[in-house]
């Protein structure tokens, strides 16, 4: 028997095409998985917004109360141990409002409320516009600075 007459041993063209299609689909699934994983990591957005802010004071006693609500609109939680820091600019002389105490949900979609009070010296806040600057730290150690203004109202 000569070499030419021996039956060939190998894959049929149909089986070869099926194997190539299966390998291509498997590779596409792996590449798509890596791409979507990387895009979800890159797409994370630490974002917070000021939902409410108010400042009320008594013109007779000088007592004042500051309240603020932050909403976490991103997909990164707020830092668990670092409270948002608040700076009030433009307070009248003698008016000192302490840093607010915070409570609420720090997770994405949650709201965090803060409030503080001064017992005296803030009668001049009524009708004055105060600049509010909030520094928010997120769990991934990114920082966002929010600024707004609030006009003092009569308590």
């Amino acid at each position: 028997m000569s070499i030419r007459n021996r039956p060939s041993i190998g894959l049929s063209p149909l089986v070869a095409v099926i194997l190539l299609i299966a390998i291509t689909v498997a590779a596409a699934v792996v590449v798509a998985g890596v791409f979507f994983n990387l895009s979800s990591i890159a797409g994370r957005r630490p974002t917070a917004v000021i939902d409410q802010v108010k400042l009320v004071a008594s013109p007779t006693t000088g007592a004042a109360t500051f309240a603020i609500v932050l909403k976490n609109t991103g997909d990164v939680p707020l830092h668990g141990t670092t409270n948002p820091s608040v700076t009030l600019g433009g307070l009248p002389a003698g008016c000192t409002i302490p840093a607010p105490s915070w409570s609420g949900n720090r997770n994405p979609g949650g709201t965090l409320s803060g409030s503080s009070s001064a017992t005296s010296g803030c009668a001049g806040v009524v009708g004055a516009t105060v600049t509010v600057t909030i520094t928010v730290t997120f769990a991934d150690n990114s920082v966002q600075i929010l600024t707004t203004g609030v006009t003092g109202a009569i308590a």
Side-chain angles (χ1 to χ4, degrees), residues 124-150:
V125 166
V126 176
T129 300
V130 176
T131 303
V132 181
T133 305
I134 301 122
T135 304
V136 181
T137 304
F138 293 90
D140 63 356
N141 289 323
S142 60
V143 175
Q144 181 181 9
I145 298 174
L146 306 166
T147 304
T148 190
V150 61

Side-chain angles (χ1 to χ4, degrees), residues 42-139:
R44 294 187 69 141
R45 300 278 184 235
T47 311
V49 296
I50 299 170
D51 195 24
Q52 297 175 23
V53 62
K54 68 179 178 178
L55 178 61
V56 293
S58 169
T60 55
T61 65
T65 301
F66 172 74
I68 188 164
V69 177
L70 296 176
K71 181 154 179 76
N72 185 351
T73 57
D75 58 1
V76 178
L78 274 65
H79 199 283
T81 58
T82 305
N83 286 323
S85 66
V86 177
T87 304
L88 300 174
L91 289 173
C95 178
T96 304
I97 299 176
S101 57
W102 295 96
S103 64
N105 187 346
R106 296 173 177 270
N107 293 322
T111 56
L112 198 60
S113 301
S115 64
S116 61
S117 297
T119 56
S120 64
C122 296
V125 166
V126 176
T129 300
V130 176
T131 303
V132 181
T133 305
I134 301 122
T135 304
V136 181
T137 304
F138 293 90

